[in-house]
Amino acid sequence: MRKYWQIAKGRMQENTAYSAWYWAGTLASVMRLLIIYFFWQAVYANQTTIQNINLETMLTYIVIAMLLQGFVGGVGNELAENIKEGQVAIELMRPYDMIFKMFAVDVGEKVMYLIQGTIPMILIAYFFMDLSFPKSPETILLFVVSALVGIWIGTFFDFLVGVLAFWTVNVWGVRVLKETLITFFSGALVPITLFPDWLRTITEFLPFQAMVYLPVSIYSGLITGTEAYMALGVQLFWLISLYVLVRGIWSQAIKQITIFGG
């Protein structure tokens, strides 16, 4: 495990080396938070609730969803570049599991996002936006577990998109589609409870809601009691399924290197 920690640490050091980008990213996160806050203030200007969701609950949901969405990406783009440039052949000869290596890089990226983007937004949100807190330690614990599972689901899904570079020249279009689907169907823009019934039914058969909507709904109180544990069970199903899929597709993908190499 030490070698993977060193890889993650190296990525963190690499990110901190560019201070201008670091502070620009922090400023961008804060600006995005303020835009969202004033937008929903305007939406609720002439009404107290939207489908039984008041302003405080909505702001709490949207802010936490925005924070969590920043973690559900992964290193799929970097993996695709390694495949495209042939670097993956060299990586496979090195003394580590390349999947775990890529996940370690992703952990380094996410730790820096936590410091750079998440903590400043949390401080501003809770001191100036009057967001609500979970009502019990059990809810907090469920949220933390659910959020971690959701982050890994997003990581695995992003990895799968990157692996497509073995079979296609450019995955840019697929990545754009992936980002669009995640942003919409994960509930990062608005709670899925506001979707029409037919669209909400579709989301129940997709992994995207497990990335953002389910953990944030647990935090904000939209899902409570037994439903919260059932939601966590759904997340675990997608987590295991996607990991098995990652391993299966990866084992098939690396055979392409043997074939191309003769």
Side-chain angles (χ1 to χ4, degrees):
M1 290 298 294
R2 173 171 290 190
K3 56 189 173 187
Y4 297 116
W5 163 244
Q6 290 300 324
I7 291 171
K9 185 177 177 182
R11 178 51 61 96
M12 287 185 277
Q13 292 172 338
E14 181 181 328
N15 285 356
T16 55
Y18 302 97
S19 58
W21 284 110
Y22 178 92
W23 291 111
T26 302
L27 180 61
S29 297
V30 172
M31 290 298 296
R32 184 183 175 196
L33 180 65
L34 294 175
I35 290 170
I36 288 175
Y37 173 75
F38 288 115
F39 170 80
W40 284 104
Q41 286 280 358
V43 169
Y44 276 87
N46 297 314
Q47 53 192 329
T48 56
T49 63
I50 298 176
Q51 291 195 11
N52 298 320
I53 302 176
N54 59 30
L55 176 61
E56 182 183 16
T57 302
M58 182 65 79
L59 280 175
T60 300
Y61 177 94
I62 295 299
V63 169
I64 300 301
M66 184 185 72
L67 296 176
L68 191 56
Q69 187 188 12
F71 289 96
V72 299
V75 288
N77 191 50
E78 184 170 336
L79 174 62
E81 287 297 319
N82 284 342
I83 296 170
K84 182 180 177 182
E85 296 172 2
Q87 183 68 23
V88 66
I90 299 174
E91 291 286 343
L92 288 171
M93 292 188 290
R94 290 177 174 164
Y96 49 61
D97 185 308
M98 187 174 174
I99 291 181
F100 288 156
K101 183 258 186 179
M102 298 304 295
F103 289 162
V105 169
D106 188 51
V107 168
E109 293 277 2
K110 285 180 168 61
V111 170
M112 290 311 302
Y113 175 74
L114 174 68
I115 298 170
Q116 170 187 335
T118 305
I119 292 177
M121 286 193 288
I122 289 175
L123 294 175
I124 292 174
Y126 282 103
F127 280 107
F128 300 104
M129 295 185 180
D130 193 29
L131 304 185
S132 60
F133 288 89
K135 294 180 172 58
S136 69
E138 180 186 15
T139 301
I140 295 175
L141 179 60
L142 277 173
F143 165 70
V144 171
V145 174
S146 180
L148 290 173
V149 174
I151 289 169
W152 279 108
I153 290 172
T155 300
F156 294 161
F157 191 82
D158 194 74
F159 189 91
L160 287 172
V161 174
V163 173
L164 292 178
F166 276 108
W167 294 281
T168 183
V169 176
N170 196 326
V171 297
W172 180 84
V174 179
R175 292 193 61 80
V176 171
L177 177 61
K178 184 216 74 168
E179 293 295 336
T180 303
L181 290 174
I182 288 179
T183 300
F184 185 75
F185 284 106
S186 70
L189 292 178
V190 295
I192 291 176
T193 51
L194 300 183
F195 287 6
D197 290 341
W198 64 270
L199 189 56
R200 192 160 60 242
T201 300
I202 292 175
T203 64
E204 293 176 357
F205 295 94
L206 301 174
F208 308 119
Q209 67 163 346
M211 300 176 189
V212 176
Y213 172 72
L214 294 181
V216 178
S217 292
I218 291 173
Y219 181 95
S220 58
L222 296 178
I223 297 176
T224 58
T226 304
E227 288 186 6
Y229 288 97
M230 291 176 63
L232 186 56
V234 170
Q235 286 185 287
L236 291 173
F237 166 78
W238 283 114
L239 179 71
I240 295 170
S241 299
L242 287 175
Y243 181 74
V244 171
L245 195 58
V246 163
R247 280 295 181 182
I249 292 181
W250 179 253
S251 65
Q252 294 299 313
I254 58 177
K255 293 178 182 177
Q256 302 292 318
I257 299 174
T258 304
I259 293 170
F260 294 148

